[in-house]
Amino acid sequence: MAEKNVIGNATGFVFHELYMWHNTWNWAQVFPPSLTVQPGEHAENAESKRRFRNLLEVSGLLDHLTPIKPRAATEDELARFHTRPYIARIKKLSAENGGDASIMTPFGKGSFEIAQLSAGGTMAAFDAVIEGRVKNAYALVRPPGHHAIADLGMGFCLFGNVAVAVMHAQAVHGVGRVATVDWDVHHGNGTQAAFYGSKDVLTISLHQDNLYPPNSGGLAETGTGAGKGYNLNVPLPPGCGNGAYLAAFEHVVLPALRRFKPELIVVPSGFDASAVDPLGRMMVTAEGYRQMTRLLMTAADELCGGRLVMSHEGGYSQMYVPYCGLAVMEEMTGIKTHVADPWEEPMSTWGQQELQPHQWTAIEVAAKLVTDIK
């Protein structure tokens, strides 16, 4: 089933069945049902995540992962980032029959506790990597987190899983510099907001230009005060494929990481920049995610003893998310399975997968900001 081609330290894996029970109701993709919108299935439902986990089992790779048991983040731990009134509001609504954290972020009864487990699962992955129990780890958690801000859930996110986990690592483990590399197709505005004034956390977001949230993730958003220069956005034109993403890594992400010298690298890992995602307009393939993972692992080996954590965010193609996730996990473990990406051949023939001139223009502008990192 799975053949090991590289022998290395263990890769941790966080998962819990309750993540699949977070209820986003019968919305029509991102709109609530009404007399003019037929009920359907919310884009952020359990299926793509469940299929990801299932493909890990079918491929045999699950047997090679080190299970990491998630725990619930406490309200005090959530409050390192979120306001107490916001936490109390989500808790109250969840205890009744659910509600909406803001707009497009519905949740059901019990989702507060599941969101606690989601943030706590990311924290558990951090703990395992920092304590040396595993070399790297993937937290397949739900609900996602990178859009949530201190006093508001948004973009399907209730609590900032990565932001809370980074603050936990700094407060409990004494970790200094942490770098986040967000490759979700949407701007990681919540993680950016959490550390916008900090020079101890480098936040990098590669995303489709002005997709979501509106008017968020521009080049001018570089941080404030002590954090000036430590927030990098790479707003990419729609239609970017592997060529553009790998160029952005080569000219922005990797130079920024080398200048910053983090003690830990974290990826808010969304697979919605894939070529068949319904909520994005990019063309990244599973092989593209594999190559980006390889580059990050090399950087982590060079800079921080290989310490790399990924926490699951978006990705809404139920068919393709599992293959993107499997490619990442194969790279993280150094184990190649028998499973082939069924989209690899047709996608390889699609035009403009290579870096295009207008894409390079956007990347080149972002690359000039790297020198502001000290």
Side-chain angles (χ1 to χ4, degrees):
M1 295 284 283
E3 296 178 2
K4 182 171 287 191
N5 58 8
V6 176
I7 298 176
N9 295 327
T11 293
F13 184 63
V14 175
F15 182 80
H16 197 288
E17 176 61 24
L18 273 178
Y19 295 146
M20 306 298 102
W21 293 17
H22 166 56
N23 187 356
T24 49
W25 301 103
N26 62 337
W27 285 35
Q29 199 167 67
V30 295
F31 300 108
S34 68
L35 292 177
T36 59
V37 177
Q38 181 177 329
E41 185 176 52
H42 195 285
E44 203 296 294
N45 62 77
E47 190 65 8
S48 64
K49 276 67 68 172
R50 190 183 297 282
R51 285 172 174 253
F52 179 2
R53 187 264 173 207
N54 289 348
L55 189 60
L56 291 176
E57 181 174 6
V58 168
S59 71
L61 192 59
L62 191 63
D63 296 334
H64 296 263
L65 303 177
T66 299
I68 299 172
K69 187 175 182 178
R71 66 171 179 84
T74 67
E75 292 184 35
D76 286 343
E77 288 169 332
L78 294 175
R80 290 192 178 112
F81 175 39
H82 294 285
T83 65
R84 297 281 183 178
Y86 172 68
I87 296 169
R89 182 170 78 86
I90 300 301
K91 183 177 183 179
K92 180 177 183 296
L93 288 171
S94 172
E96 296 166 352
N97 196 38
D100 194 335
S102 60
I103 55 171
M104 297 195 304
T105 310
F107 61 95
K109 187 177 181 67
S111 281
F112 174 76
E113 288 81 4
I114 299 173
Q116 284 182 294
L117 195 66
S118 185
T122 301
M123 290 166 57
F126 273 56
D127 289 341
V129 170
I130 293 167
E131 293 167 5
R133 289 181 275 128
V134 296
K135 183 176 182 180
N136 53 44
Y138 197 103
L140 182 51
V141 298
R142 178 174 180 262
H146 74 148
H147 292 310
I149 58 176
D151 60 352
L152 195 68
M154 57 190 297
F156 317 155
C157 303
L158 296 184
F159 298 127
N161 300 327
V162 166
V164 169
V166 170
M167 292 177 181
H168 164 76
Q170 292 175 324
V172 174
H173 295 286
V175 173
R177 291 190 155 197
V178 178
T180 71
V181 181
D182 189 329
W183 60 35
D184 190 287
V185 80
H186 306 101
H187 176 228
N189 63 294
T191 315
Q192 170 178 299
F195 304 108
Y196 206 59
S198 173
K199 62 180 177 58
D200 294 323
V201 181
L202 173 67
T203 47
I204 305 173
S205 178
L206 289 76
H207 50 269
Q208 184 178 322
D209 186 20
N210 202 26
L211 178 60
Y212 184 85
N215 304 312
S216 180
L219 290 163
E221 298 168 21
T222 60
T224 188
K228 187 69 175 176
Y230 292 90
N231 186 82
L232 287 176
N233 286 312
V234 189
L236 294 166
C240 287
N242 295 350
Y245 271 80
L246 293 173
F249 262 66
E250 180 182 352
H251 295 280
V252 183
V253 175
L254 298 179
L257 292 175
R258 292 187 181 112
R259 288 183 69 92
F260 186 68
K261 297 180 175 60
E263 298 170 34
L264 176 70
I265 297 173
V266 187
V267 179
S269 175
F271 295 121
D272 37 14
S274 85
V276 289
D277 195 90
L279 296 189
R281 291 297 176 265
M282 296 304 201
M283 296 202 301
V284 180
T285 69
E287 180 60 25
Y289 284 109
R290 184 192 305 277
Q291 292 183 45
M292 289 191 289
T293 303
R294 184 178 304 148
L295 292 172
L296 284 179
M297 290 180 67
T298 299
D301 286 340
E302 173 189 335
L303 299 169
C304 52
R307 289 187 291 273
L308 175 67
V309 178
M310 299 199 186
S311 182
H312 198 80
E313 296 287 353
Y316 308 100
S317 170
Q318 295 179 3
M319 184 273 168
Y320 199 46
V321 161
Y323 295 95
C324 296
L326 178 64
V328 167
M329 297 301 292
E330 286 181 340
E331 198 63 31
M332 290 179 74
T333 59
I335 297 171
K336 180 65 176 173
T337 74
H338 72 285
V339 174
D341 171 13
W343 273 106
E344 182 175 6
E345 184 176 351
M347 283 183 183
S348 68
T349 68
W350 292 359
Q352 300 193 27
Q353 266 290 349
E354 301 82 8
L355 176 66
Q356 302 297 305
H358 70 289
Q359 298 166 353
W360 169 243
T361 298
I363 294 166
E364 189 176 28
V365 175
K368 293 177 181 177
L369 300 173
V370 172
T371 56
D372 292 338
I373 300 170
K374 308 299 182 186

